[in-house]
Amino acid sequence: MFNRRNFLQSSLLGSFGIVLGRKNFAGEDPCPLTQDNPIVISTWDAGLEANKAAWKILGSGGRALDAVESGVMVTEASRNCCVGLWANPDRDGFVTLDASIMDENFNCGSVAFLERIKHPISVARRVMEKTPHVLLVGAGAQEFAVAEGFPLEPQKLSDDAEKNYKEWLKKSEYKPVINIENSKSNAYHAPKKINGEWNHDTIGMVAMDTKGNLSGSCTTSGMAFKMRGRVGDSPIIGAGLFVDNEVGAATSTGQGEDVIRICGTHTVVEFMRQGLSPEQACKKAVERVIRAKGSAAKEIQVAFLALNKKGETGAYAIQKGFSYALRNNKEEKLVVSKSHFS
Ligand code: SD4
């Protein structure tokens, strides 16, 4: 059977020798491999728990792709997070989920507007591995998931989501809330409600394994009380997630529309290819969002998180309060990101 993934793999492998030997304009190897240094980073405080699951795989020599899937599954299943089926619904009262995954060979898969499936990230991986496609949406994505053996969960809101939704219905104001973490320290604290709403609805994760291979995942319930059918950046390859094994990987969080507008994570990776550090690359991408938004940038949050092939990490956000979780051989911590507005 013709398989685009195999084609990509073979064509990429064909050029891999050339890629490894490539020098930048200064004649230096831009991306020396750090073979024995696995690392995982993920967005927001909930990333600490997710990283633990990813580390079980990375720390024992497993593949980055398996790590980024297992890692975010923890968040998708957590009742303390607003990423999976416990999340706030759209404005018609339904929880709809988006997710994407990408490996070291440009293979990628995603699902969007998916309902009643507990682990969208695993469905995204099946799309990548079992279909010649990249993105399945809505009823088709759900049908595919069920055919693949994923159980259809009851169509029921969690108690918190139901309470939040009823509260929101009182005014039914269509005004997305800026997603800001009130983090003042590196101490772990669970996601919480701000103005009656859970403030994290996404996790993005990127990792490098002991072979030096990169992968990433991103999964979300999207914006609370969004229009039915609204899809954000998280399942859009190059917007919410991008991996180029030659250079680095990036993920994003915040107002997805404004990430999509600038092909956010692809932009971050391209800046890293030009030689910028992960933090500088994220900063430049944030500045591009701000340029696109003009004065309205004050009203939104967008944050990027990146990892390069040397195992260096960095982040940058429009608003203060974004943090990311990091785990490697030496440490496990929460890092507070720099931001454009202080
Ligand atoms: C979206 N980027 O659907 C997601 C939302 C998000 O933390 O990241 N929230 O636009």
Side-chain angles (χ1 to χ4, degrees):
M1 188 183 81
F2 172 73
N3 179 321
R4 187 154 40 123
R5 190 159 34 86
N6 292 343
F7 170 72
L8 276 174
Q9 272 168 349
S10 56
S11 53
L12 192 84
L13 283 171
S15 59
F16 199 52
I18 302 169
V19 163
L20 279 177
R22 186 174 291 165
K23 305 274 190 237
N24 65 17
F25 293 119
E28 299 154 340
D29 180 348
C31 302
L33 296 178
T34 48
Q35 306 262 343
D36 56 354
N37 188 21
I39 182 165
V40 57
I41 51 174
S42 55
T43 56
W44 304 109
D45 304 30
L48 285 171
E49 286 304 311
N51 286 358
K52 283 189 203 305
W55 191 256
K56 279 193 187 146
I57 293 169
L58 291 173
S60 53
R63 189 178 172 199
L65 181 70
D66 295 326
V68 297
E69 181 189 6
S70 294
V72 303
M73 282 173 77
V74 169
T75 326
E76 284 181 338
S78 169
R79 289 178 183 241
N80 290 328
C81 298
C82 220
V83 166
L85 291 174
W86 308 105
N88 285 322
D90 65 15
R91 67 181 187 183
D92 291 6
F94 302 101
V95 175
T96 74
L97 305 173
D98 305 335
S100 62
I101 194 160
M102 190 159 185
D103 76 4
E104 71 276 17
N105 291 317
F106 291 107
N107 296 312
C108 46
S110 53
V111 288
F113 191 35
L114 177 63
E115 294 175 84
R116 299 177 59 188
I117 299 290
K118 188 173 174 187
H119 287 300
I121 196 63
S122 301
V123 185
R125 183 166 176 177
R126 299 284 174 95
V127 172
M128 172 175 97
E129 292 182 335
K130 294 210 167 173
T131 81
H133 308 300
V134 165
L135 172 57
L136 291 182
V137 305
Q142 191 190 70
E143 232 171 76
F144 171 71
V146 171
E148 284 292 312
F150 291 85
L152 207 50
E153 306 292 337
Q155 186 127 53
K156 190 183 172 320
L157 294 183
S158 68
D159 291 347
D160 279 320
E162 187 153 355
K163 210 158 84 198
N164 291 338
Y165 183 50
K166 282 190 180 142
E167 194 55 39
W168 179 80
L169 280 174
K170 287 183 189 159
K171 286 193 191 155
S172 300
E173 217 180 351
Y174 199 65
K175 194 173 138 217
V177 176
I178 298 181
N179 194 324
I180 292 179
E181 166 69 48
N182 254 345
S183 170
K184 289 207 174 66
S185 73
N186 278 359
Y188 174 74
H189 44 93
K192 54 194 164 294
K193 289 176 187 174
I194 292 181
N195 298 328
E197 289 175 27
W198 290 103
N199 75 337
H200 303 302
D201 38 42
T202 300
I203 182 163
M205 174 178 279
V206 290
M208 181 165 64
D209 60 30
T210 49
K211 291 192 171 131
N213 283 328
L214 301 168
S215 288
S217 60
C218 190
T219 180
T220 188
S221 61
M223 207 177 255
F225 320 125
K226 60 197 174 187
M227 271 177 80
R228 185 142 178 82
R230 180 265 183 191
V231 170
D233 57 322
S234 305
I236 310 294
I237 298 299
L241 177 69
F242 195 68
V243 178
D244 182 332
N245 206 45
E246 183 186 335
V247 176
T251 188
S252 65
T253 185
Q255 191 154 303
E257 284 74 3
D258 296 305
V259 176
I260 294 172
R261 254 183 256 289
I262 68 143
C263 299
T265 53
H266 182 263
T267 298
V268 171
V269 170
E270 291 309 304
F271 282 138
M272 290 197 287
R273 193 191 308 279
Q274 290 169 16
L276 296 193
S277 70
E279 184 184 305
Q280 287 167 338
C282 292
K283 182 169 189 270
K284 287 265 273 188
V286 160
E287 284 165 358
R288 192 169 288 184
V289 174
I290 290 168
R291 178 155 63 84
K293 289 300 277 186
S295 58
K298 284 200 179 67
E299 313 298 321
I300 62 160
Q301 172 67 308
V302 164
F304 294 108
L305 173 61
L307 167 68
N308 70 13
K309 196 76 180 175
K310 295 183 214 167
E312 295 167 339
T313 67
Y316 210 81
I318 296 182
Q319 313 287 344
K320 70 175 179 188
F322 173 61
S323 52
Y324 69 93
L326 179 152
R327 174 107 198 227
N328 60 18
N329 273 328
K330 289 184 231 117
E331 52 189 353
E332 181 178 17
K333 64 180 180 181
L334 202 60
V335 182
V336 176
S337 166
K338 290 185 191 157
S339 58
H340 183 82
F341 296 115
S342 48

